[in-house]
Amino acid sequence: MVAEDAHCLDLSTCEVLAFVGRRLGADAVGLVGTAREAELDDNPLAGAGLAELRLGPLDPAAAAVLLDAHAVLDPVVRQRVLTEAAGNPLALVELPVTAAQQGSGGTWVGGFR
């Protein structure tokens, strides 16, 4: 079972997922949830005692690979996106799209893959 953006779920749903997650044990069922840590303060999943894998930002090399796989950018714009995204994968994918939609005064080179 996958619960993406668990920090956005209602309290009852989080309580049920925490209950189920604690009882899975060795069963051949998995529960994977994603959440922004800063938004989990009062969420029952945060205190359920479930195994956690905390993901940090991508390292600079991985961030550059991800960005280059999604957009062909002018070198100055590319560096700005890498700096502003600070290793956040969603930002690396979405910032070029947003900039292109708002117009960029000819700083974009090529296009999107």
Side-chain angles (χ1 to χ4, degrees):
M1 178 190 325
V2 176
E4 188 172 0
D5 291 332
H7 58 276
C8 295
L9 297 173
D10 63 273
L11 181 62
S12 297
T13 301
C14 289
E15 288 173 344
V16 167
L17 290 175
F19 177 84
V20 169
R22 286 189 299 266
R23 281 152 184 78
L24 287 176
D27 293 331
V29 177
L31 172 62
V32 176
T34 65
R36 294 183 180 151
E37 184 175 7
E39 299 181 37
L40 279 175
D41 292 337
D42 298 328
N43 193 305
L45 287 170
L50 303 174
E52 294 181 15
L53 175 61
R54 295 173 185 256
L55 302 177
L58 295 175
D59 64 61
V65 168
L66 179 61
L67 177 60
D68 293 343
H70 288 276
V72 177
L73 306 173
D74 173 85
V76 173
V77 175
R78 180 181 179 273
Q79 186 55 50
R80 173 104 191 253
V81 170
L82 287 169
T83 300
E84 294 294 329
N88 180 314
L90 181 60
L92 290 162
V93 172
E94 293 295 323
L95 283 174
V97 174
T98 301
Q101 290 171 345
Q102 294 177 356
S104 59
T107 58
W108 295 90
V109 177
F112 295 97
R113 296 181 189 153

